Amino acid sequence: AGPADERVETRVAGLSPGQPVTLRAVAADDRGCLFQSCAHYRADSRGELHLGTDASHGGDYTGVEPMGLFWSLAPAGMEKPYQRLVPRSTGAPMKVEVLVHQGHSPPGSMPGPVVAKAEVQRLFTAPGVRRIRLKEGVVRGSLFLPPGDGPFPGVIDMYGDEGGLIEFRSSLLATRGFAALSLPYFDFEDLPRVMKELKLEYFEEAARFLQRHPKVKGPGIGVIGTGKGAELALSMITFLPEVVAAVSISGCSSNTIADLHYGEMTLPGLRFDMKKVNVSDSGVFDIFEALDDPANPANSPSVIPIEKAEGHFLLVVGEDDRMWKSSLYAELAIRRLRQHGKENFELLSYPGAGHRIDPPSTPFCQVALDRVLGVPVVGGGESKAHAHAQEHSWGKIQEFLHLHLG
């Protein structure tokens, strides 16, 4: 058992020299959906294997990939495709069974006899981390506090237009020493069911709650968001003095989808043009070209005036994001900051990575079922490059937050 964002060391001993084997990983999500992955290896001259130094020759990935079996987990053949393996609840560990089979069996075929197996438990919450469900004024969500007296750097964590409460990144941040508030903003408890319009006052109340919490280090807090959540993070650091550091993962430099109100001000949301959506023969939706162009002068009222922010930005993008043009949006944001004489940003741009850059070893999902549209949508990326981007960015995100939050 170990933290879900740490590498697992996998060794096999007792094979015959040069013996071909297939390693398989099998896991089930909270609803019982089965996920699996496999890779082909050969034992060395001592009859041993070490996934940290030995290369896979086939299966779901090739090359030396210590965590390949974990990030290549995908729905098993009999399951519905396009599902993500992400924990709905962070209290229980994710159990992954790793099996060694005789011979090389291709993905999806019947593997050979099992010669060894072991269970790995991936923990999303370290011992001593506290989870507090929030009903604070209008604010909803979960606050995760690290063990000990603190005070700890405070971070608000938000995901995208899938809505609801997604906690696994927050609980891992708490495991790493941050007081992390997992903040839903629609489709949860008594929050609005759909994202029609948003009020920045809701996010302001959350920021003030976290900033004033006795376990949180001041004076400022950080925010991290993915997709729509990233764009909200940019708006928060722009308009709310409580926020001094923002991590935008695959975000847009303009407000999208829902109008954002703050007092008398409104940033209209850019819209998706469904006529620009491509649908493949297999029914997969590609929405890459569908969002209104933020660089079009007609759409300037939607631009987030990030040059007003006093704090610091970390922009994280996958260069093969097919959900929308996050590389371009990061470029537009940087250009805007530089035009105003600002250098308060860092860019992490990853070739071959797709849209949802999550904590390390989160299984790669190139096409995922969109909860709002109810159809499979291309997120882009190539599995190995995406996995490496997740591992590298996770360390950099923590460094950035520690640097600016103390």
Side-chain angles (χ1 to χ4, degrees):
D5 58 352
E6 279 185 9
R7 282 187 176 188
V8 172
E9 187 157 321
T10 308
R11 293 174 183 271
V12 185
L15 299 168
S16 51
Q19 183 178 342
V21 288
T22 298
L23 263 67
R24 264 174 83 232
V26 181
D29 70 7
D30 314 35
R31 292 166 301 194
C33 172
L34 207 62
F35 291 75
Q36 58 185 15
S37 60
C38 75
H40 300 159
Y41 289 90
R42 280 189 186 278
D44 65 13
S45 58
R46 297 189 303 276
E48 293 178 2
L49 259 185
H50 181 227
L51 266 56
T53 51
D54 293 327
S56 160
H57 305 292
D60 290 320
Y61 62 91
T62 56
V64 178
E65 293 294 334
M67 293 299 290
L69 287 172
F70 292 82
W71 54 247
S72 62
L73 282 163
M78 69 283 208
E79 301 288 359
K80 282 189 188 143
Y82 313 133
Q83 298 189 73
R84 284 187 192 285
L85 179 57
V86 286
R88 301 253 178 267
S89 112
T90 56
M94 183 184 286
K95 293 175 179 172
V96 183
E97 192 169 38
V98 181
L99 305 103
V100 184
H101 297 268
Q102 282 179 23
H104 288 165
S105 43
S109 68
M110 276 297 288
V114 175
V115 291
K117 60 180 181 177
E119 186 182 82
V120 182
Q121 295 195 0
R122 308 286 281 154
L123 308 173
F124 288 90
T125 310
V129 167
R130 285 197 300 148
R131 173 181 180 263
I132 301 153
R133 283 303 300 276
L134 266 201
K135 264 198 160 157
E136 192 69 32
V138 295
V139 178
R140 302 290 172 264
S142 298
L143 176 63
F144 290 86
L145 294 173
D149 297 333
F152 309 103
V155 181
I156 289 175
D157 176 26
M158 299 175 295
Y159 270 91
D161 61 5
E162 62 266 58
L165 179 64
I166 300 174
E167 297 178 315
F168 73 103
R169 185 165 60 194
S170 302
S171 63
L172 286 172
L173 283 167
T175 295
R176 298 287 165 220
F178 295 92
L181 168 55
S182 183
L183 186 69
Y185 47 95
F186 75 103
D187 197 23
F188 180 71
E189 291 183 352
D190 55 358
L191 296 175
R193 298 300 300 159
V194 292
M195 189 171 50
K196 274 213 177 84
E197 51 180 5
L198 294 166
K199 288 186 164 59
L200 198 62
E201 283 83 356
Y202 172 78
F203 302 91
E204 183 173 48
E205 201 171 314
R208 286 178 176 167
F209 163 79
L210 189 61
Q211 187 194 33
R212 291 174 186 152
H213 195 283
K215 292 270 190 188
V216 172
K217 243 188 216 181
I221 62 159
V223 7
I224 176 171
T226 299
K228 177 68 189 173
E231 171 200 308
L232 285 164
L234 297 181
S235 294
M236 288 171 75
I237 193 171
T238 297
F239 297 110
L240 308 180
E242 295 84 359
V243 179
V244 298
V247 180
S248 160
I249 301 171
S250 310
C252 185
S253 49
S254 290
N255 185 52
T256 68
I257 308 163
D259 293 356
L260 180 67
H261 306 284
Y262 186 45
E264 298 293 296
M265 182 211 73
T266 297
L267 291 181
L270 298 179
R271 299 291 188 245
F272 279 96
D273 179 352
M274 294 315 280
K275 292 197 287 291
K276 292 184 180 168
V277 174
N278 284 317
V279 185
S280 73
D281 294 344
S282 57
V284 173
F285 283 55
D286 182 344
I287 62 173
F288 186 65
E289 295 289 350
L291 186 68
D292 291 345
D293 179 7
N296 181 340
N299 294 324
S300 62
S302 299
V303 174
I304 302 164
I306 53 174
E307 70 280 0
K308 293 181 176 172
E310 293 299 320
H312 289 80
F313 298 90
L314 178 63
L315 307 171
V316 182
V317 296
E319 293 173 18
D320 194 29
D321 184 347
R322 293 293 304 173
M323 193 69 81
W324 60 13
K325 303 175 183 181
S326 52
S327 285
L328 169 69
Y329 306 154
E331 223 173 275
L332 293 174
I334 288 168
R335 193 182 308 161
R336 189 173 180 99
L337 290 170
R338 286 200 164 134
Q339 278 168 352
H340 290 85
K342 298 211 155 186
E343 289 290 332
N344 55 342
F345 64 86
E346 274 178 75
L347 171 67
L348 297 175
S349 185
Y350 295 102
H355 182 69
R356 247 184 83 151
I357 298 174
D358 274 325
S361 305
T362 301
F364 172 70
C365 196
Q366 191 184 46
V367 176
L369 213 55
D370 187 278
R371 220 189 54 87
V372 181
L373 299 171
V375 296
V377 174
V378 179
E382 178 276 311
S383 58
K384 194 184 291 195
H386 191 89
H388 293 177
Q390 291 192 147
E391 187 159 351
H392 183 264
S393 62
W394 186 237
K396 290 292 185 189
I397 287 165
Q398 292 174 66
E399 275 174 33
F400 171 83
L401 292 170
H402 277 303
L403 178 65
H404 298 295
L405 305 177

